[in-house]
Amino acid sequence: MSKVSKHFLIVTFAIMAICWGTCMICSFNNLSLETDYFLFVPYLLGGWSPTIASYIVLKKNDRVKDFKEWLKNVFDIKHSIASYLLVVVLSVIYVLPQCIVAGYEKGAPLYVIIVLIPVMLLGGGLEEAGWRYILQPELEKRCSYFVATLIVSIIWWLWHLPLFYISGTGQEGKSYIAFGFGVLGMAFALACVRKCTDSVWLCVLLHCIVNASGGVYEINDSVLGNAVMAGIMIVITLFIVYLNDKKKMFR
């Protein structure tokens, strides 16, 4: 693992541990995000830990010269229609198998996804400024694409663990194993986008769309549903990456 990726993980997990650790301690003392709104400060800062760490580490290691350049690299919105279609297709592949296998409750109208996407920039999307901007490509310098993606998915899964012990989060009371399969499928989807398009922004967008879809399709918590989705996602994304290596379809 490179110096940059090690530094990124140390800063990310340090911020997460302090912020979400505070929320956990408060939860153990009967405080909840649903009623004690001051907890949203450490809760949100913990969620932004990969984003914060991204700028700190890239600036310290002279990968970006200032915040403006960092923003430009994260929000690289000029890409082909095919690249944007890839994001849409992978978001459907993420949601559809879970809906079919696990079942779901219909929530808000479908168009609400568009409204929620900007909100989800702060509700998960900007994590990609760390996980897929730094960690995924840095690991691919040391090991294969497949192994790098597996490692990222495990680290990403472990990073989420405190959320299952914080009162008032969406993860509270749900299966950590089912969530792990969800993370695995999502990690391969995002790695595919990063590999095929070389874009951080498109990873951010995919993350936002998937998170926003939770307001429209309230999928039942299911190990099987998430495992089926992950298996399908891995096979399809590996095939897409293989084709792109041959034909360069998205650049």
Side-chain angles (χ1 to χ4, degrees):
M1 189 175 288
S2 69
K3 174 186 173 183
V4 171
S5 56
K6 286 179 182 177
H7 190 185
F8 165 72
L9 289 175
I10 289 170
V11 176
T12 297
F13 275 81
I15 296 171
M16 178 273 282
I18 293 169
C19 295
W20 285 351
T22 299
C23 292
M24 287 175 64
I25 292 170
C26 289
S27 294
F28 296 153
N29 287 277
N30 300 316
L31 299 178
S32 172
L33 288 167
E34 294 176 341
T35 54
D36 303 286
Y37 301 120
F38 69 91
L39 288 176
F40 273 97
V41 175
Y43 170 70
L44 290 174
L45 286 174
W48 296 337
S49 59
T51 314
I52 297 168
S54 171
Y55 177 68
I56 292 173
V57 171
L58 292 173
K59 181 71 167 64
K60 182 176 178 61
N61 288 275
D62 297 320
R63 298 287 186 92
V64 296
K65 63 181 180 181
D66 54 28
F67 187 65
K68 182 179 179 180
E69 182 181 354
W70 179 83
L71 278 178
K72 182 180 178 181
N73 292 344
V74 172
F75 292 95
D76 57 323
I77 62 174
K78 293 183 178 180
H79 292 280
S80 67
I81 293 175
S83 296
Y84 277 94
L85 284 175
L86 176 64
V87 170
V88 174
V89 168
L90 292 179
S91 66
V92 172
I93 294 171
Y94 183 86
V95 173
L96 189 58
Q98 295 182 69
C99 289
I100 293 172
V101 176
Y104 67 98
E105 299 293 330
K106 193 70 171 69
L110 186 61
Y111 69 82
V112 171
I113 290 179
I114 298 174
V115 177
L116 288 177
I117 286 174
V119 177
M120 292 304 166
L121 278 174
L122 302 179
L126 283 178
E127 289 176 30
E128 302 311 319
W131 305 125
R132 255 54 63 167
Y133 186 172
I134 297 176
L135 191 57
Q136 180 76 31
E138 287 296 314
L139 286 174
E140 286 183 32
K141 294 176 183 177
R142 305 297 179 100
C143 51
S144 70
Y145 165 81
F146 183 81
V147 172
T149 307
L150 284 178
I151 293 172
V152 172
S153 69
I154 292 169
I155 293 171
W156 197 21
W157 181 45
L158 293 172
W159 176 80
H160 280 94
L161 179 59
L163 294 176
F164 288 77
Y165 299 94
I166 297 173
S167 179
T169 65
Q171 291 81 7
E172 183 187 17
K174 293 189 176 180
S175 168
Y176 187 55
I177 301 301
F179 184 81
F181 281 113
V183 167
L184 178 63
M186 191 63 175
F188 271 88
L190 290 162
C192 174
V193 171
R194 185 73 167 97
K195 187 76 169 177
C196 292
T197 68
D198 197 31
S199 170
V200 179
W201 157 247
L202 291 175
C203 293
V204 172
L205 181 61
L206 174 57
H207 198 145
C208 287
I209 292 172
V210 168
N211 282 9
S213 70
V216 176
Y217 302 101
E218 298 174 9
I219 301 170
N220 297 328
D221 196 29
S222 166
V223 173
L224 179 60
N226 284 15
V228 169
M229 176 278 297
I232 293 171
M233 185 68 79
I234 290 170
V235 171
I236 290 177
T237 55
L238 288 177
F239 182 64
I240 291 172
V241 168
Y242 171 78
L243 284 181
N244 190 65
D245 284 343
K246 299 294 183 182
K247 300 183 179 181
K248 304 297 180 186
M249 300 179 295
F250 302 105
R251 296 188 190 180

